[in-house]
Coordinates of all heavy atoms in Angstrom, one line a residue:
E1 N 68.6 -26.7 24.0 CA 70.0 -26.5 24.5 C 70.0 -25.1 25.2 O 69.6 -24.1 24.7 CB 71.0 -26.6 23.4 CG 72.4 -26.4 23.9 CD 73.4 -26.5 22.8 OE1 73.2 -27.4 22.0 OE2 74.3 -25.7 22.8
R2 N 70.5 -25.1 26.4 CA 70.6 -23.8 27.2 C 72.0 -23.1 26.9 O 73.0 -23.8 26.7 CB 70.5 -24.1 28.6 CG 69.1 -24.5 29.0 CD 68.9 -24.2 30.5 NE 67.5 -24.5 30.8 CZ 66.5 -23.5 30.8 NH1 66.8 -22.3 30.5 NH2 65.3 -23.9 31.2
T3 N 71.9 -21.8 26.9 CA 73.1 -21.0 26.9 C 73.6 -20.8 28.3 O 72.9 -21.0 29.2 CB 72.8 -19.6 26.2 OG1 71.8 -19.0 27.0 CG2 72.3 -19.7 24.8
P4 N 74.9 -20.5 28.5 CA 75.4 -20.2 29.8 C 74.6 -19.1 30.5 O 74.1 -18.2 29.9 CB 76.8 -19.8 29.6 CG 77.2 -20.3 28.2 CD 75.9 -20.3 27.4
A5 N 74.4 -19.3 31.8 CA 73.7 -18.3 32.6 C 74.4 -16.9 32.6 O 75.6 -16.9 32.8 CB 73.5 -18.8 34.0
R6 N 73.6 -15.9 32.3 CA 74.2 -14.5 32.4 C 73.9 -13.9 33.7 O 74.5 -12.9 34.1 CB 73.7 -13.7 31.2 CG 74.1 -14.2 29.9 CD 73.6 -13.2 28.8 NE 74.2 -13.5 27.5 CZ 75.3 -13.0 27.0 NH1 76.0 -12.2 27.8 NH2 75.7 -13.4 25.8
R7 N 72.8 -14.4 34.4 CA 72.4 -13.7 35.6 C 71.7 -14.7 36.5 O 70.9 -15.5 36.0 CB 71.5 -12.5 35.3 CG 70.9 -11.8 36.5 CD 70.1 -10.6 36.1 NE 68.9 -11.0 35.4 CZ 67.8 -10.2 35.3 NH1 67.8 -9.0 35.9 NH2 66.7 -10.6 34.7
F8 N 71.9 -14.6 37.8 CA 71.2 -15.4 38.8 C 70.3 -14.4 39.5 O 70.7 -13.3 39.9 CB 72.1 -16.1 39.8 CG 72.8 -17.3 39.3 CD1 74.0 -17.3 38.6 CD2 72.2 -18.6 39.5 CE1 74.6 -18.4 38.1 CE2 72.8 -19.7 39.0 CZ 74.0 -19.6 38.3
I9 N 69.0 -14.8 39.8 CA 68.1 -14.0 40.6 C 67.8 -15.0 41.8 O 67.2 -16.0 41.5 CB 66.9 -13.6 39.8 CG1 67.3 -12.8 38.6 CG2 65.9 -12.8 40.7 CD1 66.2 -12.6 37.6
I10 N 68.1 -14.6 42.9 CA 67.8 -15.3 44.1 C 66.6 -14.7 44.8 O 66.6 -13.6 45.1 CB 69.1 -15.4 45.1 CG1 70.3 -16.0 44.4 CG2 68.7 -16.1 46.4 CD1 71.6 -15.9 45.2
C11 N 65.6 -15.6 45.0 CA 64.4 -15.1 45.7 C 64.2 -15.9 47.0 O 64.3 -17.1 46.9 CB 63.2 -15.3 44.8 SG 63.2 -14.3 43.3
A12 N 63.8 -15.2 48.0 CA 63.6 -15.9 49.3 C 62.9 -15.0 50.3 O 62.8 -13.8 50.0 CB 65.0 -16.4 49.9
C13 N 62.5 -15.5 51.4 CA 61.9 -14.7 52.5 C 62.6 -15.0 53.8 O 63.2 -16.0 54.0 CB 60.4 -15.1 52.6 SG 59.4 -14.8 51.2
G14 N 62.5 -14.0 54.7 CA 63.0 -14.2 56.0 C 64.5 -14.5 56.1 O 65.3 -13.9 55.4
T15 N 64.9 -15.5 56.9 CA 66.3 -15.8 57.1 C 66.9 -16.4 55.8 O 68.1 -16.3 55.5 CB 66.5 -16.8 58.3 OG1 65.7 -17.9 58.1 CG2 66.2 -16.1 59.6
S16 N 66.0 -17.0 55.0 CA 66.5 -17.6 53.7 C 67.0 -16.4 52.8 O 67.9 -16.6 52.0 CB 65.4 -18.4 53.0 OG 65.0 -19.5 53.7
F17 N 66.3 -15.3 52.9 CA 66.8 -14.1 52.1 C 68.2 -13.7 52.5 O 69.0 -13.4 51.6 CB 65.8 -12.9 52.4 CG 66.3 -11.6 51.8 CD1 66.0 -11.4 50.5 CD2 67.0 -10.7 52.5 CE1 66.4 -10.2 49.9 CE2 67.4 -9.5 52.0 CZ 67.1 -9.2 50.6
H18 N 68.5 -13.8 53.8 CA 69.9 -13.5 54.2 C 70.9 -14.5 53.7 O 72.0 -14.2 53.4 CB 69.9 -13.3 55.8 CG 69.2 -12.2 56.2 ND1 67.9 -12.3 56.7 CD2 69.5 -10.9 56.3 CE1 67.4 -11.1 57.0 NE2 68.4 -10.2 56.8
A19 N 70.5 -15.7 53.7 CA 71.4 -16.8 53.0 C 71.6 -16.4 51.6 O 72.7 -16.6 51.0 CB 70.7 -18.1 53.2
G20 N 70.6 -15.9 50.9 CA 70.7 -15.5 49.5 C 71.7 -14.4 49.3 O 72.4 -14.3 48.3
L21 N 71.8 -13.5 50.3 CA 72.8 -12.4 50.2 C 74.2 -12.9 50.3 O 75.1 -12.5 49.6 CB 72.5 -11.4 51.4 CG 71.3 -10.6 51.3 CD1 71.1 -9.7 52.6 CD2 71.3 -9.7 50.1
V22 N 74.4 -14.0 51.1 CA 75.7 -14.6 51.2 C 76.0 -15.3 49.8 O 77.1 -15.2 49.3 CB 75.8 -15.6 52.3 CG1 77.1 -16.4 52.3 CG2 75.6 -14.9 53.7
G23 N 75.0 -15.9 49.3 CA 75.1 -16.6 48.0 C 75.5 -15.6 46.9 O 76.3 -15.9 46.0
E24 N 74.9 -14.4 46.9 CA 75.2 -13.4 46.0 C 76.7 -13.1 46.0 O 77.4 -13.0 45.0 CB 74.4 -12.1 46.3 CG 74.8 -10.9 45.4 CD 74.0 -9.7 45.8 OE1 73.7 -9.5 47.0 OE2 73.8 -8.8 44.9
Y25 N 77.2 -12.8 47.2 CA 78.6 -12.5 47.3 C 79.5 -13.7 46.8 O 80.4 -13.4 46.0 CB 78.9 -12.3 48.8 CG 80.4 -12.1 49.1 CD1 81.0 -10.9 48.8 CD2 81.2 -13.1 49.6 CE1 82.4 -10.7 49.1 CE2 82.5 -13.0 49.8 CZ 83.1 -11.8 49.6 OH 84.4 -11.6 49.8
L26 N 79.2 -14.9 47.1 CA 80.0 -16.0 46.7 C 79.9 -16.2 45.2 O 81.0 -16.5 44.6 CB 79.6 -17.3 47.4 CG 79.9 -17.3 48.9 CD1 79.2 -18.5 49.6 CD2 81.4 -17.3 49.2
I27 N 78.7 -16.2 44.6 CA 78.6 -16.4 43.2 C 79.3 -15.3 42.4 O 80.1 -15.6 41.4 CB 77.1 -16.6 42.8 CG1 76.5 -17.8 43.4 CG2 77.0 -16.6 41.3 CD1 75.0 -17.9 43.3
E28 N 79.1 -14.1 42.8 CA 79.8 -13.0 42.1 C 81.3 -13.1 42.2 O 82.0 -12.8 41.3 CB 79.2 -11.6 42.5 CG 77.8 -11.4 42.0 CD 77.3 -10.0 42.3 OE1 77.8 -9.3 43.1 OE2 76.3 -9.6 41.6
S29 N 81.7 -13.4 43.4 CA 83.2 -13.5 43.7 C 83.9 -14.6 43.0 O 84.9 -14.5 42.4 CB 83.5 -13.6 45.2 OG 83.0 -12.4 45.8
L30 N 83.2 -15.8 43.0 CA 83.9 -17.0 42.5 C 83.5 -17.3 41.0 O 84.4 -17.7 40.3 CB 83.5 -18.2 43.3 CG 83.9 -18.1 44.8 CD1 83.3 -19.3 45.6 CD2 85.4 -18.0 44.9
A31 N 82.3 -17.1 40.6 CA 81.9 -17.4 39.3 C 81.9 -16.2 38.3 O 81.8 -16.3 37.1 CB 80.5 -18.1 39.3
R32 N 81.9 -15.0 38.9 CA 81.9 -13.7 38.1 C 80.6 -13.7 37.3 O 80.7 -13.2 36.1 CB 83.1 -13.6 37.3 CG 84.4 -13.7 38.1 CD 84.6 -12.6 39.2 NE 84.6 -11.3 38.6 CZ 84.4 -10.2 39.4 NH1 84.1 -10.3 40.6 NH2 84.3 -9.0 38.8
I33 N 79.5 -14.1 37.9 CA 78.2 -14.0 37.2 C 77.3 -13.0 38.0 O 77.3 -13.1 39.2 CB 77.5 -15.3 37.1 CG1 78.3 -16.3 36.2 CG2 76.1 -15.2 36.6 CD1 77.8 -17.7 36.2
S34 N 76.6 -12.1 37.3 CA 75.8 -11.1 38.0 C 74.7 -11.8 38.8 O 74.1 -12.8 38.3 CB 75.2 -10.2 37.0 OG 74.3 -9.3 37.5
V35 N 74.4 -11.3 40.0 CA 73.4 -11.9 40.9 C 72.6 -10.8 41.5 O 73.1 -9.7 41.9 CB 74.0 -12.7 42.1 CG1 73.0 -13.2 43.0 CG2 74.9 -13.8 41.5
E36 N 71.2 -11.0 41.5 CA 70.3 -10.1 42.2 C 69.6 -10.9 43.3 O 69.3 -12.1 43.1 CB 69.3 -9.5 41.2 CG 69.8 -8.7 40.2 CD 68.8 -8.2 39.2 OE1 67.5 -8.3 39.5 OE2 69.1 -7.8 38.1
V37 N 69.4 -10.3 44.4 CA 68.7 -11.0 45.5 C 67.4 -10.2 45.8 O 67.5 -9.0 46.0 CB 69.5 -11.1 46.8 CG1 68.8 -11.9 47.9 CG2 70.8 -11.8 46.5
E38 N 66.3 -10.9 45.8 CA 65.0 -10.2 46.0 C 64.1 -10.9 47.0 O 64.2 -12.1 47.1 CB 64.3 -10.1 44.7 CG 65.0 -9.3 43.6 CD 64.1 -8.9 42.5 OE1 62.9 -8.6 42.8 OE2 64.6 -8.8 41.4
Y39 N 63.3 -10.2 47.7 CA 62.3 -10.8 48.6 C 61.3 -11.4 47.6 O 60.8 -10.8 46.7 CB 61.6 -9.8 49.5 CG 62.4 -9.4 50.7 CD1 63.1 -8.2 50.8 CD2 62.5 -10.4 51.7 CE1 63.8 -7.9 52.0 CE2 63.2 -10.1 52.9 CZ 63.8 -8.9 53.0 OH 64.6 -8.6 54.1
A40 N 61.0 -12.7 47.9 CA 60.0 -13.4 47.0 C 58.7 -12.7 47.0 O 58.0 -12.6 46.0 CB 59.9 -14.8 47.4
S41 N 58.3 -12.1 48.2 CA 57.0 -11.4 48.3 C 56.9 -10.2 47.4 O 55.8 -9.8 46.9 CB 56.8 -11.0 49.7 OG 57.8 -10.2 50.2
E42 N 58.0 -9.6 47.1 CA 58.0 -8.4 46.2 C 58.2 -8.9 44.8 O 57.6 -8.3 43.9 CB 59.2 -7.5 46.6 CG 59.0 -6.8 47.9 CD 60.1 -5.9 48.3 OE1 61.0 -5.6 47.4 OE2 60.2 -5.5 49.5
F43 N 59.0 -9.9 44.5 CA 59.2 -10.4 43.2 C 57.9 -10.8 42.5 O 57.6 -10.6 41.4 CB 60.2 -11.6 43.3 CG 60.6 -12.2 41.9 CD1 61.6 -11.6 41.2 CD2 60.0 -13.3 41.5 CE1 62.0 -12.1 40.0 CE2 60.4 -13.9 40.3 CZ 61.4 -13.3 39.5
R44 N 57.0 -11.5 43.3 CA 55.8 -12.0 42.7 C 54.8 -11.0 42.3 O 53.9 -11.2 41.5 CB 55.2 -13.0 43.7 CG 54.5 -12.4 44.9 CD 53.9 -13.4 45.8 NE 52.6 -14.0 45.3 CZ 51.8 -14.7 46.0 NH1 52.0 -15.0 47.2 NH2 50.7 -15.2 45.4
Y45 N 54.9 -9.8 42.9 CA 53.9 -8.7 42.7 C 54.3 -7.7 41.7 O 53.5 -6.8 41.3 CB 53.4 -8.1 44.0 CG 52.6 -9.0 44.8 CD1 53.0 -9.4 46.0 CD2 51.4 -9.5 44.3 CE1 52.3 -10.3 46.8 CE2 50.6 -10.4 45.1 CZ 51.1 -10.8 46.3 OH 50.3 -11.6 47.1
R46 N 55.6 -7.7 41.3 CA 56.0 -6.7 40.3 C 56.2 -7.5 39.0 O 55.9 -8.7 38.9 CB 57.3 -6.0 40.7 CG 58.5 -6.9 40.9 CD 59.7 -6.0 41.4 NE 60.9 -6.8 41.2 CZ 61.6 -6.9 40.1 NH1 61.2 -6.3 39.0 NH2 62.8 -7.5 40.1
D47 N 56.6 -6.8 38.0 CA 56.7 -7.4 36.6 C 58.2 -7.5 36.3 O 58.7 -6.6 35.6 CB 56.0 -6.6 35.6 CG 55.9 -7.3 34.3 OD1 56.1 -8.5 34.2 OD2 55.6 -6.6 33.2
P48 N 58.9 -8.5 36.9 CA 60.4 -8.5 36.7 C 60.8 -8.8 35.2 O 60.0 -9.4 34.5 CB 60.8 -9.6 37.6 CG 59.6 -10.5 37.6 CD 58.4 -9.6 37.6
I49 N 61.9 -8.2 34.8 CA 62.4 -8.5 33.5 C 63.2 -9.8 33.6 O 64.3 -9.8 34.2 CB 63.3 -7.3 33.0 CG1 62.4 -6.0 32.9 CG2 63.9 -7.7 31.6 CD1 63.2 -4.8 32.7
L50 N 62.7 -10.8 32.9 CA 63.4 -12.1 32.9 C 63.7 -12.5 31.5 O 62.9 -12.3 30.6 CB 62.5 -13.2 33.6 CG 62.2 -13.0 35.0 CD1 61.1 -14.0 35.5 CD2 63.4 -13.0 35.9
N51 N 64.9 -13.0 31.3 CA 65.4 -13.4 30.0 C 65.5 -14.9 29.9 O 66.4 -15.5 30.5 CB 66.8 -12.8 29.7 CG 66.7 -11.3 29.7 OD1 65.9 -10.6 29.0 ND2 67.5 -10.7 30.6
A52 N 64.5 -15.5 29.2 CA 64.5 -16.9 29.0 C 65.8 -17.5 28.4 O 66.4 -16.9 27.5 CB 63.3 -17.3 28.1
G53 N 66.3 -18.5 29.0 CA 67.6 -19.1 28.6 C 68.8 -18.5 29.1 O 69.9 -19.0 28.9
E54 N 68.7 -17.3 29.6 CA 69.9 -16.6 30.2 C 69.8 -16.4 31.7 O 70.9 -16.3 32.3 CB 70.0 -15.2 29.5 CG 70.3 -15.2 28.0 CD 70.5 -13.8 27.4 OE1 70.4 -12.8 28.1 OE2 70.7 -13.8 26.2
D55 N 68.6 -16.2 32.2 CA 68.5 -16.0 33.7 C 68.2 -17.3 34.4 O 67.4 -18.2 33.9 CB 67.4 -15.0 34.0 CG 67.7 -13.6 33.5 OD1 68.9 -13.3 33.3 OD2 66.8 -12.8 33.4
V56 N 68.8 -17.5 35.5 CA 68.5 -18.6 36.4 C 67.9 -18.1 37.7 O 68.5 -17.2 38.3 CB 69.7 -19.4 36.7 CG1 69.4 -20.6 37.7 CG2 70.3 -20.0 35.4
V57 N 66.7 -18.5 38.0 CA 66.0 -18.1 39.2 C 66.3 -19.2 40.3 O 65.9 -20.3 40.1 CB 64.5 -17.8 39.0 CG1 63.9 -17.5 40.4 CG2 64.3 -16.7 38.0
V58 N 66.9 -18.8 41.4 CA 67.2 -19.7 42.5 C 66.3 -19.3 43.7 O 66.4 -18.1 44.1 CB 68.7 -19.6 42.9 CG1 69.0 -20.5 44.1 CG2 69.6 -20.0 41.7
V59 N 65.5 -20.2 44.1 CA 64.7 -19.9 45.3 C 65.2 -20.7 46.5 O 65.7 -21.8 46.4 CB 63.2 -20.2 45.0 CG1 62.6 -19.3 43.9 CG2 62.9 -21.6 44.8
I60 N 65.1 -20.0 47.7 CA 65.6 -20.7 48.9 C 64.4 -20.7 49.9 O 63.7 -19.6 50.1 CB 66.7 -19.9 49.5 CG1 67.9 -19.7 48.5 CG2 67.2 -20.6 50.8 CD1 69.0 -18.8 49.0
S61 N 64.1 -21.8 50.4 CA 63.0 -21.9 51.4 C 63.3 -23.1 52.4 O 63.7 -24.1 52.0 CB 61.7 -22.3 50.7 OG 60.7 -22.6 51.6
Q62 N 63.2 -22.8 53.7 CA 63.5 -23.8 54.6 C 62.4 -24.9 54.6 O 62.7 -26.1 54.5 CB 63.5 -23.2 56.0 CG 64.7 -22.3 56.2 CD 64.8 -21.7 57.6 OE1 64.5 -22.3 58.6 NE2 65.1 -20.4 57.6
S63 N 61.2 -24.6 54.5 CA 60.1 -25.6 54.5 C 59.8 -26.1 53.1 O 59.3 -27.2 53.0 CB 58.8 -24.9 55.0 OG 58.3 -23.9 54.1
G64 N 60.1 -25.3 52.1 CA 59.8 -25.8 50.7 C 58.3 -25.5 50.4 O 57.9 -26.0 49.3
E65 N 57.6 -24.8 51.2 CA 56.2 -24.6 51.0 C 55.8 -23.1 51.1 O 54.7 -22.7 51.0 CB 55.4 -25.3 52.1 CG 55.6 -26.8 52.2 CD 55.2 -27.6 50.9 OE1 54.3 -27.0 50.2 OE2 55.7 -28.7 50.7
T66 N 56.8 -22.2 51.2 CA 56.5 -20.8 51.3 C 55.8 -20.3 50.1 O 56.3 -20.4 49.0 CB 57.8 -20.0 51.5 OG1 58.6 -20.6 52.5 CG2 57.6 -18.5 51.8
A67 N 54.6 -19.7 50.3 CA 53.7 -19.3 49.2 C 54.3 -18.3 48.2 O 54.3 -18.4 47.0 CB 52.4 -18.8 49.7
D68 N 54.9 -17.2 48.8 CA 55.6 -16.2 48.0 C 56.7 -16.8 47.2 O 56.9 -16.4 46.0 CB 56.1 -15.1 48.8 CG 54.9 -14.2 49.4 OD1 53.9 -14.1 48.8 OD2 55.1 -13.7 50.5
T69 N 57.5 -17.6 47.8 CA 58.6 -18.2 47.1 C 58.2 -19.2 46.0 O 58.7 -19.2 44.9 CB 59.6 -19.0 48.1 OG1 59.9 -18.1 49.1 CG2 60.8 -19.4 47.4
L70 N 57.1 -19.9 46.2 CA 56.5 -20.8 45.2 C 56.0 -20.0 44.1 O 56.1 -20.4 42.9 CB 55.4 -21.7 45.8 CG 54.8 -22.7 44.9 CD1 55.9 -23.7 44.3 CD2 53.8 -23.5 45.7
A71 N 55.4 -18.8 44.3 CA 54.9 -17.9 43.3 C 56.1 -17.5 42.4 O 55.9 -17.3 41.2 CB 54.2 -16.8 43.9
A72 N 57.3 -17.2 43.0 CA 58.4 -16.8 42.2 C 58.9 -17.9 41.3 O 59.3 -17.7 40.2 CB 59.6 -16.4 43.2
V73 N 58.8 -19.2 41.8 CA 59.1 -20.3 40.9 C 58.2 -20.4 39.7 O 58.6 -20.5 38.6 CB 59.0 -21.7 41.7 CG1 59.0 -22.9 40.8 CG2 60.0 -21.8 42.8
N74 N 56.9 -20.2 40.0 CA 55.9 -20.2 38.9 C 56.1 -19.1 37.9 O 56.0 -19.3 36.7 CB 54.5 -20.1 39.4 CG 54.1 -21.4 40.2 OD1 54.6 -22.5 40.0 ND2 53.2 -21.2 41.2
K75 N 56.5 -17.9 38.3 CA 56.8 -16.8 37.5 C 58.0 -17.1 36.6 O 58.0 -16.8 35.4 CB 57.0 -15.5 38.3 CG 57.4 -14.3 37.5 CD 56.2 -13.8 36.6 CE 56.5 -12.5 35.9 NZ 55.5 -12.2 34.9
A76 N 59.0 -17.6 37.2 CA 60.3 -18.0 36.5 C 59.9 -19.0 35.4 O 60.4 -18.8 34.2 CB 61.3 -18.5 37.4
K77 N 59.2 -20.0 35.7 CA 58.8 -21.0 34.7 C 58.0 -20.5 33.6 O 58.1 -20.8 32.4 CB 58.2 -22.2 35.4 CG 59.2 -22.9 36.3 CD 58.6 -24.1 37.0 CE 58.6 -25.3 36.1 NZ 58.2 -26.5 36.7
E78 N 57.0 -19.6 33.9 CA 56.2 -18.9 32.9 C 57.0 -18.2 31.9 O 56.7 -18.1 30.7 CB 55.2 -18.0 33.6 CG 54.1 -18.6 34.3 CD 53.2 -17.6 35.1 OE1 53.4 -16.3 34.9 OE2 52.4 -18.0 35.9
E79 N 58.1 -17.6 32.4 CA 59.0 -16.8 31.5 C 60.0 -17.6 30.8 O 60.9 -17.1 30.1 CB 59.6 -15.6 32.3 CG 58.6 -14.7 32.9 CD 57.9 -13.8 31.9 OE1 58.6 -13.5 30.9 OE2 56.8 -13.4 32.1
G80 N 60.1 -18.9 31.1 CA 61.0 -19.8 30.4 C 62.4 -19.8 31.0 O 63.4 -20.2 30.4
C81 N 62.5 -19.4 32.3 CA 63.8 -19.4 33.0 C 64.0 -20.7 33.7 O 63.0 -21.4 34.2 CB 63.9 -18.3 34.0 SG 63.9 -16.7 33.2
L82 N 65.2 -21.1 33.9 CA 65.6 -22.3 34.7 C 65.3 -21.9 36.2 O 65.7 -20.8 36.6 CB 67.0 -22.7 34.5 CG 67.6 -23.8 35.4 CD1 66.9 -25.1 34.9 CD2 69.1 -23.9 35.2
A83 N 64.6 -22.8 36.9 CA 64.3 -22.5 38.3 C 64.9 -23.6 39.1 O 64.7 -24.8 38.9 CB 62.8 -22.5 38.5
I84 N 65.7 -23.2 40.1 CA 66.4 -24.1 41.0 C 65.9 -23.8 42.4 O 65.8 -22.6 42.9 CB 67.9 -23.9 41.0 CG1 68.4 -24.2 39.5 CG2 68.7 -24.8 42.0 CD1 69.9 -23.9 39.3
G85 N 65.6 -24.8 43.2 CA 65.1 -24.7 44.6 C 66.1 -25.2 45.6 O 66.5 -26.4 45.4
L86 N 66.4 -24.5 46.6 CA 67.3 -24.9 47.7 C 66.3 -25.0 48.9 O 65.8 -24.0 49.4 CB 68.4 -23.9 48.0 CG 69.3 -23.5 46.8 CD1 70.3 -22.5 47.3 CD2 70.1 -24.8 46.4
V87 N 66.1 -26.2 49.4 CA 65.2 -26.5 50.4 C 65.7 -27.5 51.5 O 66.6 -28.2 51.2 CB 63.8 -27.0 49.9 CG1 63.2 -25.9 49.0 CG2 64.0 -28.3 49.2
N88 N 65.1 -27.4 52.6 CA 65.4 -28.4 53.7 C 64.5 -29.6 53.7 O 64.9 -30.7 54.2 CB 65.3 -27.8 55.1 CG 66.4 -26.8 55.4 OD1 67.4 -26.8 54.7 ND2 66.2 -26.0 56.4
A89 N 63.3 -29.5 53.1 CA 62.3 -30.5 53.2 C 62.2 -31.4 51.9 O 61.8 -30.9 50.9 CB 61.0 -29.9 53.5
V90 N 62.6 -32.6 52.1 CA 62.6 -33.6 51.0 C 61.1 -33.8 50.5 O 60.2 -34.0 51.4 CB 63.2 -34.9 51.4 CG1 63.0 -36.0 50.3 CG2 64.7 -34.8 51.7
G91 N 60.8 -33.7 49.3 CA 59.5 -33.9 48.7 C 58.6 -32.7 48.8 O 57.4 -32.8 48.6
S92 N 59.1 -31.6 49.2 CA 58.3 -30.4 49.4 C 57.8 -29.9 48.0 O 58.3 -30.3 47.0 CB 59.1 -29.3 50.1 OG 60.2 -28.9 49.3
T93 N 56.9 -29.0 48.0 CA 56.3 -28.5 46.8 C 57.4 -27.8 45.9 O 57.5 -28.0 44.7 CB 55.1 -27.5 47.1 OG1 54.2 -28.2 47.9 CG2 54.5 -27.0 45.8
I94 N 58.2 -26.9 46.6 CA 59.2 -26.2 45.8 C 60.2 -27.2 45.2 O 60.7 -27.1 44.1 CB 59.9 -25.2 46.7 CG1 58.9 -24.0 46.9 CG2 61.2 -24.7 46.0 CD1 59.4 -22.9 47.8
A95 N 60.6 -28.3 46.0 CA 61.5 -29.3 45.4 C 60.9 -30.0 44.2 O 61.7 -30.3 43.3 CB 61.9 -30.3 46.5
R96 N 59.6 -30.2 44.2 CA 59.0 -30.9 43.1 C 58.7 -30.0 41.9 O 58.8 -30.4 40.8 CB 57.7 -31.5 43.6 CG 57.8 -32.6 44.5 CD 56.5 -33.4 44.7 NE 55.3 -32.5 44.9 CZ 54.8 -32.0 46.0 NH1 55.4 -32.3 47.1 NH2 53.8 -31.3 46.0
E97 N 58.4 -28.7 42.2 CA 58.0 -27.8 41.1 C 59.2 -27.1 40.3 O 59.0 -26.7 39.2 CB 57.1 -26.6 41.7 CG 55.8 -27.1 42.2 CD 54.9 -27.6 41.1 OE1 54.8 -27.0 40.0 OE2 54.2 -28.6 41.3
T98 N 60.4 -27.1 41.0 CA 61.5 -26.5 40.3 C 62.1 -27.5 39.3 O 61.8 -28.6 39.3 CB 62.6 -26.0 41.3 OG1 62.9 -27.2 42.1 CG2 62.1 -24.9 42.2
D99 N 62.9 -26.9 38.4 CA 63.6 -27.8 37.4 C 64.7 -28.6 38.1 O 65.0 -29.7 37.6 CB 64.3 -26.9 36.3 CG 63.2 -26.1 35.5 OD1 62.3 -26.8 35.0 OD2 63.3 -24.9 35.5
A100 N 65.2 -28.1 39.2 CA 66.2 -28.9 40.0 C 66.1 -28.5 41.4 O 66.2 -27.3 41.8 CB 67.6 -28.5 39.5
G101 N 65.8 -29.5 42.3 CA 65.7 -29.3 43.7 C 67.0 -29.7 44.4 O 67.5 -30.8 44.1
V102 N 67.5 -28.9 45.2 CA 68.7 -29.2 46.0 C 68.4 -29.2 47.5 O 67.8 -28.2 48.0 CB 69.8 -28.1 45.7 CG1 71.1 -28.4 46.6 CG2 70.2 -28.0 44.3
Y103 N 68.7 -30.3 48.1 CA 68.4 -30.4 49.5 C 69.5 -30.0 50.4 O 70.7 -30.4 50.1 CB 67.9 -31.9 49.9 CG 66.7 -32.3 49.1 CD1 66.8 -33.3 48.1 CD2 65.5 -31.7 49.3 CE1 65.7 -33.7 47.4 CE2 64.4 -32.1 48.6 CZ 64.5 -33.1 47.7 OH 63.4 -33.5 47.0
L104 N 69.3 -29.2 51.4 CA 70.3 -28.7 52.3 C 70.2 -29.4 53.6 O 69.2 -29.8 54.1 CB 70.2 -27.2 52.5 CG 70.3 -26.4 51.2 CD1 70.0 -24.9 51.5 CD2 71.6 -26.5 50.6

């Protein structure tokens, strides 16, 4: 059983990163949940502090195949966090590897 999310971490690259910034504003304004937005390329190479069961990692990718973003998914899952993927491509790797894939 999962506890309610305490924090969302949005990881993306390029224009998807900018969409994540809009998501940060909306989630914090409407849901009043803390949100961090990070470049997936930086997230994968540092040692982020992730809290299993409390943090939700949301990745955004247009193709669903971005290597850095996929690495962020793998890091989130290794740490026991819920991973959600927002992608354009049905059946893409990110859509399959996340706990929940959302098609845009």
Side-chain angles (χ1 to χ4, degrees):
E1 181 177 320
R2 290 205 174 266
T3 58
R6 292 184 175 271
R7 177 175 68 156
F8 282 86
I9 302 166
I10 300 174
C11 294
C13 297
T15 56
S16 295
F17 174 81
H18 293 97
L21 293 173
V22 173
E24 175 186 29
Y25 173 79
L26 291 172
I27 292 168
E28 286 186 342
S29 296
L30 299 174
R32 306 300 299 162
I33 296 173
S34 177
V35 178
E36 296 177 17
V37 182
E38 300 199 31
Y39 278 106
S41 57
E42 294 178 13
F43 184 81
R44 75 181 284 193
Y45 290 115
R46 65 181 192 83
D47 189 19
I49 299 170
L50 298 173
N51 300 304
E54 293 182 1
D55 291 341
V56 175
V57 177
V58 178
V59 298
I60 306 171
S61 172
Q62 293 177 42
S63 67
E65 304 293 338
T66 311
D68 289 329
T69 307
L70 186 56
V73 170
N74 293 332
K75 180 65 175 173
K77 292 179 82 172
E78 286 172 10
E79 297 292 328
C81 295
L82 179 67
I84 298 173
L86 303 176
V87 298
N88 288 344
V90 174
S92 65
T93 303
I94 289 175
R96 292 191 320 269
E97 295 292 322
T98 54
D99 297 304
V102 178
Y103 300 113
L104 303 173

